[in-house]
Amino acid sequence: MNVLQSNFFELITIIFYCILIFVPLLVGVVLALYADRKIWAAVQKRRGPNVVGPFGLFQVPADGLKFIFKEIILPDSADKTVFLIAPIITLALSIAAWAVIPVQAGVVLANINVGILYIFAISSLGVYGILMAGWASNSKYPFFGALRSAAQMVSYEVSIGFVIVTVLMCVGSLNLSEIVLAQKNIWFFIPLFPMFIVFFISALAETNRPPFDLPEAESELVAGYQTEYSGMPFVLFLFGEYINILLMCAMTTILFLGGWLPPIDVYPLNAIPGFVWFILKVTLVFYMFAMVKAFVPRYRYDQLMRLGWKVFLPLSLLAVVLTSSILFFFKLAPGMS
Amino acid sequence: MSISLITFYLFSAILLLSSLMVISTKNPVHSVLFLILAFLNAAGIFVILHAEFLAMILIIVYVGAVAVLFLFVVMMLDFKTSLEKDNILQYMPIGLLIGLVFIAELVIVLINTRLDLSDIQILSNPLDNFSDQSNTEAIGSILYTNYVLYFQLSGVILLVAMVGSIVLTLRDREGVKRQIVSEQVDRKGKIELVDVKSGEGVDI
């Protein structure tokens, strides 16, 4: 018991920090859902949600409330434990990854040495929620959705890994804060522009966003792996998915858009606190995510696989070789000068 | 009792229990899921040992890639029919034999090594000159300088395995129409514009 008493204060602070991450994240998800629908509507010259609350802002909380009070239907032939664990895993993993995201200089819950590897590991675990959901539903469409999703996420993780390697070679550290600080002179999306594009598209595929939303392609698979879910577990999936999307936006920001750094380091710009820049950049990336959803038609599955394995993988491998050669030849690599 | 000791007992207890469940559950998919839980807890123990790089690599490689494909295959199996036929006693002798061999090996190793405190010091921190680096840097600088040959060799072995599996599974079936994207995009000479007079038609 002594241990618990001596570490009680530390425990309380960590829990407080966790709430400090979780609450803004939930607000962010609600706003992201709203923005997603509004942008989609605007592209199609519709109005989108505009009834509940001012500008329809309360539409998402209202939907959430509705889902909470809905009955949780457990399919008779489902593997019930796995069926209920799957959405919890999806949500928990997507939140866990945020523990290492630095929103400002020094403002991060866990400033670990291998931050980028941690995020990569957690996001590679994300596939389990979907696979378990699809298998435990014990029904055709969810199973197909889960298989598609697993294959898709595993394929695009490979190219994401190589893109991260190119960035890491320019930084010389796996720590996320140091990755941001290394972009003090130039944001990486300028020298590594092709990799920025590859990362952005792979992020779309990794989060099952349109045009790569084949796991939940409604014209073929009803709702993919979520077909049998209702009520609270469905909300957990939805929130997990959107937190993952925001995570990918944050990753793009940190790896390529200079994290919390202002565009130019001059007076009125660098007086604005870093987290404002961070949120602005995440919003910008999310806006691009939403626009892509609005105007790109869905890929066919074989084209998706071709893009991942035959286009992005060789391209990112080439980029790894090229970047390392250039860094070595011009003695630009960190610690070489 | 320190926090790290408590977490160590927690991780190792879950690790042992879940590895026991891997071999005792009837459902193969549950077995794989427990295996994944075991991997995760092993990664947790690595973190307690301050080997955070190994922990992350364990999760990325084993949990994120190998176990996913494993689960993929197991899920496709029709195990409902094979469940009843399985008899635990059938596999008991060989399992016991393997277990005995492992225990015997462990005992032999433990008898022949006498651990004192300085050995433990060396074992837990074998690289004195790397103590100021993070272990990612330490592994990198050792692996790519002193042991680069072994590293490359293991890469070659993996490459051979990959090529081998592709060669074994690749087959050209006749009558399969393949899409060649470059041909599809390059439409020169494939499209002909014809003026059709109304009421007549055209020969193609």
Side-chain angles (χ1 to χ4, degrees):
Chain A
M1 263 355 293
N2 239 341
V3 181
L4 281 184
Q5 272 162 10
S6 56
N7 291 292
F8 186 70
F9 184 68
E10 207 179 339
L11 197 69
I12 292 290
T13 11
I14 290 178
I15 290 174
F16 176 71
Y17 282 142
C18 290
I19 294 170
L20 217 59
I21 292 177
F22 187 57
V23 172
L25 207 53
L26 275 191
V27 176
V29 168
V30 168
L31 288 176
L33 269 162
Y34 173 77
D36 206 12
R37 295 177 64 178
K38 270 289 190 196
I39 293 167
W40 202 4
V43 171
Q44 300 175 347
K45 288 207 157 189
R46 290 185 289 116
R47 290 199 178 173
N50 63 347
V51 178
V52 192
F55 310 108
L57 262 173
F58 298 155
Q59 179 68 51
V60 178
D63 283 347
L65 214 60
K66 182 191 76 176
F67 276 123
I68 288 170
F69 288 114
K70 268 184 151 181
E71 185 191 351
I72 298 171
I73 297 168
L74 289 174
D76 195 36
S77 59
D79 187 323
K80 290 174 183 71
T81 333
V82 180
F83 186 79
L84 286 178
I85 290 175
I88 297 173
I89 285 185
T90 304
L91 184 69
L93 284 177
S94 58
I95 295 171
W98 279 86
V100 296
I101 298 280
V103 292
Q104 197 176 337
V107 182
V108 52
L109 175 62
N111 193 14
I112 58 176
N113 279 334
V114 285
I116 192 92
L117 281 183
Y118 172 79
I119 288 187
F120 195 59
I122 294 286
S123 65
S124 69
L125 289 183
V127 69
Y128 282 110
I130 292 170
L131 261 181
M132 284 163 77
W135 176 78
S137 298
N138 207 352
S139 144
K140 278 195 201 89
Y141 294 126
F143 192 56
F144 281 139
L147 289 185
R148 278 187 182 189
S149 177
Q152 177 178 332
M153 287 168 90
V154 170
S155 315
Y156 280 85
E157 232 157 56
V158 182
S159 54
I160 283 191
F162 279 120
V163 173
I164 289 176
V165 168
T166 52
V167 173
L168 290 183
M169 280 190 303
C170 304
V171 179
S173 166
L174 298 169
N175 185 307
L176 286 171
S177 299
E178 279 177 39
I179 292 175
V180 172
L181 288 176
Q183 304 179 52
K184 208 137 205 166
N185 297 322
I186 187 162
W187 294 358
F188 283 149
F189 85 97
I190 298 169
L192 298 174
F193 189 71
M195 288 302 98
F196 174 61
I197 302 293
V198 169
F199 186 82
F200 181 74
I201 297 174
S202 302
L204 288 175
E206 183 76 4
T207 50
N208 296 330
R209 283 282 290 188
F212 306 114
D213 58 340
L214 287 136
E216 37 200 295
E218 67 274 1
S219 53
E220 312 153 30
L221 293 181
V222 193
Y225 61 93
Q226 307 173 333
T227 305
E228 306 288 347
Y229 282 87
S230 60
M232 205 56 202
F234 179 77
V235 177
L236 295 188
F237 264 128
L238 189 73
F239 269 60
E241 204 174 294
Y242 269 81
I243 291 176
N244 261 332
I245 291 166
L246 289 182
L247 179 75
M248 275 302 170
C249 296
M251 284 283 285
T252 319
T253 306
I254 288 169
L255 288 177
F256 292 103
L257 299 176
W260 66 78
L261 299 172
I264 325 162
D265 201 9
V266 291
Y267 166 62
L269 289 179
N270 60 21
I272 299 169
F275 73 91
V276 176
W277 285 117
F278 184 78
I279 292 171
L280 270 179
K281 287 172 188 174
V282 170
T283 317
L284 179 76
V285 180
F286 183 78
Y287 177 72
M288 293 201 283
F289 266 62
M291 287 301 270
V292 169
K293 177 181 183 173
F295 56 58
V296 182
R298 185 176 290 141
Y299 258 59
R300 221 173 52 208
Y301 199 73
D302 61 316
Q303 291 174 330
L304 174 87
M305 282 297 153
R306 180 182 165 271
L307 186 70
W309 289 108
K310 292 190 178 170
V311 180
F312 281 177
L313 183 60
L315 202 66
S316 45
L317 261 175
L318 179 73
V320 170
V321 175
L322 265 184
T323 316
S324 53
S325 316
I326 290 172
L327 287 177
F328 185 77
F329 190 74
F330 293 104
K331 301 224 180 303
L332 290 168
M336 256 187 82
S337 52
Chain B
M1 286 266 273
S2 64
I3 286 281
S4 62
L5 201 60
I6 293 176
T7 38
F8 170 74
Y9 281 129
L10 184 75
F11 280 139
S12 33
I14 300 177
L15 175 60
L16 289 177
L17 278 180
S18 53
S19 17
L20 202 65
M21 291 302 281
V22 172
I23 50 171
S24 58
T25 46
K26 283 263 174 192
N27 191 329
V29 174
H30 290 176
S31 285
V32 178
L33 292 175
F34 276 116
L35 185 69
I36 292 157
L37 189 62
F39 281 146
L40 285 177
N41 283 288
I45 291 175
F46 272 131
V47 171
I48 296 174
L49 288 170
H50 296 287
E52 68 264 6
F53 182 74
L54 281 183
M56 294 305 148
I57 291 299
L58 182 74
I59 293 183
I60 292 171
V61 174
Y62 280 92
V63 184
V66 174
V68 170
L69 298 178
F70 209 58
L71 195 62
F72 213 88
V73 174
V74 171
M75 275 180 178
M76 305 243 227
L77 296 177
D78 184 23
F79 53 81
K80 269 179 201 126
T81 49
S82 66
L83 271 185
E84 287 110 40
K85 276 186 266 170
D86 264 4
N87 189 358
I88 290 183
L89 287 175
Q90 192 184 340
Y91 302 111
M92 197 70 117
I94 190 136
L96 277 179
L97 188 71
I98 292 172
L100 274 177
V101 167
F102 268 112
I103 288 176
E105 282 176 349
L106 274 178
V107 168
I108 291 169
V109 168
L110 282 179
I111 286 172
N112 288 333
T113 40
R114 189 175 45 83
L115 279 179
D116 50 31
L117 216 60
S118 60
D119 286 341
I120 293 171
Q121 208 82 56
I122 293 170
L123 282 178
S124 61
N125 197 4
L127 303 168
D128 259 352
N129 44 340
F130 286 111
S131 52
D132 56 330
Q133 288 175 320
S134 72
N135 61 51
T136 316
E137 277 175 73
I139 289 175
S141 49
I142 286 229
L143 194 61
Y144 294 114
T145 50
N146 301 359
Y147 295 96
V148 67
L149 199 64
Y150 302 97
F151 182 76
Q152 297 252 317
L153 265 177
S154 56
V156 169
I157 291 170
L158 284 175
L159 182 72
V160 169
M162 198 170 85
V163 171
S165 61
I166 290 173
V167 166
L168 284 177
T169 52
L170 188 73
R171 53 179 181 150
D172 265 327
R173 275 182 293 179
E174 278 177 30
V176 177
K177 286 186 178 168
R178 289 192 192 280
Q179 182 187 27
I180 301 158
V181 175
S182 53
E183 247 176 52
Q184 211 173 357
V185 174
D186 173 36
R187 297 203 268 185
K188 269 178 214 152
K190 304 245 166 70
I191 290 179
E192 194 185 349
L193 289 177
V194 187
D195 250 340
V196 185
K197 277 185 188 145
S198 64
E200 278 181 26
V202 68
D203 288 325
I204 297 173

